[in-house]
Amino acid sequence: MVLTHQHRQCISITVPLSTNKFCKACSSGLVEDLTITYSVGLTIGSVPPNGDVNCVKDVVFRNIVMNKPLKGIYIKSNPGTNGMGLVQNISYSNVRMTEALWWPIWIGPQQMNQPDGTFLGCDMRYPFRSEECPTNPLVTMRDIVLQDVTSTGGLNPYAGVVICNVSNPCQNIVFERVVVQQGMRDGLDKTLPFIVQDVYGTVIDTTPLAEFLV
């Protein structure tokens, strides 16, 4: 299937519309065999905390080609001060991106500009003109696997972002054969490393290096 989106989330799996004490559910799904042009990516969330526990788990993305995404792989929490959120057992395999316009890989707090000019979650200018990117300790992210993921020719010098909260770090994040080559200059790859914060996991055959805790 071929999809074209004008920089909006092409595939977004978010929390159920409603839960209560009688019905607690998690969103899940399978997304496969797509070619996508533009869009804001293969998205989980945003997931805010909630008294009934907002939950997205057991989601598989596989065999996908993305051309000129604003974001490619995008997993995002949302601000909130009550309850809990959970993102668990998410996998991306055989994903190929070309000419990403912003972030090929973003796992962390939501980046969003509000109509009044304020930011919800992480500043859109992070990390270039702002260091404001607060994480949410009430949203747990764990058991996330990226396998055989490539991105070439993007505009952003950084390979991606994986940032979690110091009091609730991301657990069991696996990057296996993840290769990001954002741009060449003088015959050399000038891609900057992943920005990583409070992440425990495993990195195998990944370029540039993602420095996860073990």
Side-chain angles (χ1 to χ4, degrees):
M1 181 181 293
V2 178
L3 302 174
T4 301
H5 280 248
Q6 297 300 318
H7 298 137
R8 306 185 73 175
Q9 290 168 179
C10 179
I11 305 293
S12 179
I13 298 179
T14 187
V15 297
L17 292 177
S18 65
T19 61
N20 54 55
K21 65 181 179 180
F22 302 108
C23 178
K24 298 184 184 296
C26 293
S27 296
S28 61
L30 168 64
V31 180
E32 62 182 347
D33 302 328
L34 293 176
T35 297
I36 302 166
T37 300
Y38 302 117
S39 89
V40 191
L42 308 174
T43 304
I44 299 293
S46 61
V47 179
N50 181 275
D52 294 312
V53 185
N54 279 331
C55 176
V56 179
K57 65 185 300 186
D58 302 328
V59 179
V60 174
F61 297 90
R62 64 191 182 201
N63 305 330
I64 297 173
V65 175
M66 306 184 74
N67 303 308
K68 295 183 172 64
L70 185 65
K71 284 189 173 79
I73 291 171
Y74 190 16
I75 301 177
K76 52 181 177 173
S77 62
N78 210 16
T81 58
N82 178 59
M84 298 175 59
L86 175 65
V87 176
Q88 184 177 20
N89 196 24
I90 311 297
S91 72
Y92 296 82
S93 62
N94 193 26
V95 177
R96 293 186 290 122
M97 293 172 270
T98 58
E99 300 180 6
L101 301 177
W102 194 224
W103 293 100
I105 298 170
W106 180 285
I107 301 173
Q110 175 174 259
Q111 279 190 305
M112 183 175 177
N113 284 35
Q114 297 300 303
D116 63 1
T118 60
F119 298 98
L120 182 63
C122 186
D123 193 319
M124 284 292 293
R125 299 166 297 181
Y126 174 87
F128 301 100
R129 298 183 63 185
S130 173
E131 296 182 358
E132 293 296 320
C133 197
T135 55
N136 194 328
L138 300 179
V139 179
T140 295
M141 295 189 182
R142 60 176 301 116
D143 308 327
I144 297 169
V145 177
L146 275 62
Q147 186 178 64
D148 296 314
V149 172
T150 63
S151 179
T152 58
L155 298 180
N156 190 327
Y158 285 97
V161 162
V162 190
I163 50 177
C164 303
N165 190 272
V166 65
S167 65
N168 187 12
C170 289
Q171 302 283 347
N172 193 29
I173 311 302
V174 178
F175 279 19
E176 183 174 2
R177 296 184 298 277
V178 176
V179 177
V180 180
Q181 188 179 78
Q182 291 294 79
M184 301 290 290
R185 190 165 64 248
D186 299 326
L188 299 173
D189 181 11
K190 299 297 183 179
T191 306
L192 297 178
F194 286 90
I195 300 172
V196 176
Q197 174 184 308
D198 302 311
V199 179
Y200 287 83
T202 303
V203 179
I204 302 169
D205 296 334
T206 289
T207 304
L209 182 65
E211 295 187 349
F212 294 168
L213 301 169
V214 295

